[in-house]
Amino acid sequence: MPAGMAIKTPSAAKVTIQEKAGCAELILVAIPALLVGTVSLLAFLGKWIWPLDLATSFRPLYAVGLLAAGTTLLLGKWRRLGWAVVIVGLLNLAFVAPLFWGKQDIPPQSPTMRVISFNVQGQNEEYQQVIDFLRRTAADVVFLHEANRLWEEALSEAITEGGFEYHQHRSRPDHLIFSTLTLTRIRPVEVTSHGWAEREARAMEVVVGVGDTEVTLLGIHPLAPTNPRRTALRDAQFEFVAKWAGGSGGPTVVTGDFNATPWSHVFVSLTDAGLRNSQRGYGLAPSFPTNGNLLTRVPIDHLLHSPHLAVADRWLGPDLGSDHLPLVVDLALVPPSG
């Protein structure tokens, strides 16, 4: 044997393999998990740093990914790091899991109403598909967001031709391209537009009778938070909705394309105002975007309600040419708890 040549023993080879495995685990699992976990924690600062509010949209992915990565690390070499990753994963899961339980009991003979909220997407031309869907579902109140003049004309024509028994309530001023168009099966007690310009509330208020009770619904479409200015305007629009909901003493519904997921601070402002998320007990129900990967689809179409109401059923409708899926919710009048 040449002088100075080391003999590689089986134990030394085993150590080398373990070191390589530990290095691969660090690169492929630990470092990505640390990055994802850090983003998920920074997302709690979304109220003050607008891009981080967008990061809250993916808490379900954070939870699943971090728990999987943490388990892998626990089974490998990086056990302490694995526990840290699992804890952050459980923290994200704590914000997601409540959506999977909490369905309410509906007393027999409770008066009910069906509400649809659907962002039709202005350039979508599947007018007949949408009309056929609305005819089949026979909702009592329908809010169609991003409805432009062509949508107004198509729905007016369907009403005039018969077989589509709705009253149409336009909220779009002539100088705006689109707003939220409202349909009601019965003539409403009151209809109020709160304005649709960028700096206005972007909300449509409708009061309808359900049995012997009046229910007030607010269809909203806040701005998408795509830059600091629009985010500030969106937050102000949610402030209006929270104040409106807090001042309502009777059965109340807020529904629409929120441009926010249930984990955003603006959504929490509505639950803090006494409204209940209809999503409770019905899972994630991701509604946007329909043309994207299912893993990146998020729930931004919502309905919240006061304690005077309970959810009898809730589901997403089919793809109707928009980048959103329609949200359908059956509500029942119940005695307020407490």
Side-chain angles (χ1 to χ4, degrees):
M1 177 184 298
M5 180 176 288
I7 301 176
K8 184 177 288 188
T9 64
S11 59
K14 183 177 180 181
V15 169
T16 302
I17 292 172
Q18 289 177 341
E19 288 176 347
K20 289 181 178 179
C23 184
E25 190 178 6
L26 175 66
I27 295 172
L28 298 176
V29 181
I31 293 176
L34 284 173
L35 292 174
V36 172
T38 300
V39 170
S40 76
L41 293 175
L42 289 174
F44 288 106
L45 301 176
K47 185 175 182 179
W48 300 279
I49 305 174
W50 73 269
L52 294 179
D53 186 51
L54 297 176
T56 64
S57 303
F58 303 103
R59 292 220 180 272
L61 290 180
Y62 300 153
V64 173
L66 291 172
L67 290 174
T71 301
T72 301
L73 295 172
L74 286 173
L75 295 174
K77 182 179 179 181
W78 306 88
R79 291 181 179 83
R80 289 185 179 178
L81 181 57
W83 279 117
V85 171
V86 166
I87 289 170
V88 178
L90 290 173
L91 176 62
N92 282 279
L93 183 63
F95 286 87
V96 176
L99 298 180
F100 290 86
W101 64 76
K103 286 187 180 181
Q104 297 170 278
D105 295 327
I106 308 299
Q109 312 302 320
S110 297
T112 61
M113 67 182 303
R114 176 169 291 178
V115 180
I116 290 179
S117 174
F118 181 31
N119 185 331
V120 295
Q121 193 179 24
Q123 63 267 37
N124 177 18
E125 297 181 352
E126 298 295 339
Y127 309 114
Q128 194 58 50
Q129 277 196 52
V130 173
I131 290 169
D132 290 342
F133 170 74
L134 296 177
R135 185 181 286 115
R136 290 194 306 271
T137 50
D140 299 286
V141 181
V142 179
F143 293 100
L144 300 177
H145 313 288
E146 287 194 20
N148 54 24
R149 178 181 57 81
L150 296 176
W151 277 99
E152 293 166 3
E153 292 175 353
L155 291 160
S156 293
E157 184 178 344
I159 293 170
T160 302
E161 290 176 350
F164 190 66
E165 299 177 355
Y166 281 101
H167 300 279
Q168 179 173 295
H169 313 284
R170 169 184 158 177
S171 63
R172 181 183 63 86
D174 290 336
H175 67 281
L176 294 181
I177 297 174
F178 57 75
S179 66
T180 290
L181 182 66
T182 307
L183 305 174
T184 57
R185 188 161 291 280
I186 62 174
R187 192 170 296 279
V189 177
E190 186 178 347
V191 178
T192 305
S193 173
H194 293 282
W196 290 94
E198 279 193 343
R199 296 185 177 276
E200 295 181 306
R202 292 172 62 90
M204 183 73 161
E205 181 177 345
V206 182
V207 182
V208 297
V210 180
D212 298 327
T213 305
E214 291 184 356
V215 178
T216 304
L217 302 96
L218 193 71
I220 68 171
H221 186 196
L223 292 174
T226 53
N227 58 47
R229 182 184 67 85
R230 288 174 64 88
T231 301
L233 291 171
R234 181 206 64 168
D235 291 358
Q237 287 155 358
F238 271 97
E239 288 177 9
F240 166 85
V241 177
K243 185 177 180 180
W244 178 90
S248 177
T252 304
V253 173
V254 175
T255 188
D257 171 5
F258 282 26
N259 278 314
T261 64
W263 310 290
S264 169
H265 69 94
V266 292
F267 191 98
V268 174
S269 70
L270 301 190
T271 56
D272 287 346
L275 297 177
R276 177 184 171 89
N277 184 4
S278 68
Q279 204 173 348
R280 291 286 301 271
Y282 291 89
L284 294 177
S287 58
F288 171 87
T290 58
N291 55 358
N293 188 308
L294 185 60
L295 290 176
T296 58
R297 192 177 294 177
V298 295
I300 64 172
D301 295 276
H302 302 287
L303 184 147
L304 289 86
H305 57 89
S306 67
H308 309 80
L309 297 158
V311 179
D313 202 1
R314 184 189 199 275
W315 71 95
L316 295 176
D319 186 344
L320 297 172
S322 170
D323 53 356
H324 290 250
L325 296 176
L327 172 64
V328 186
V329 181
D330 289 338
L331 295 166
L333 282 167
V334 297
S337 57

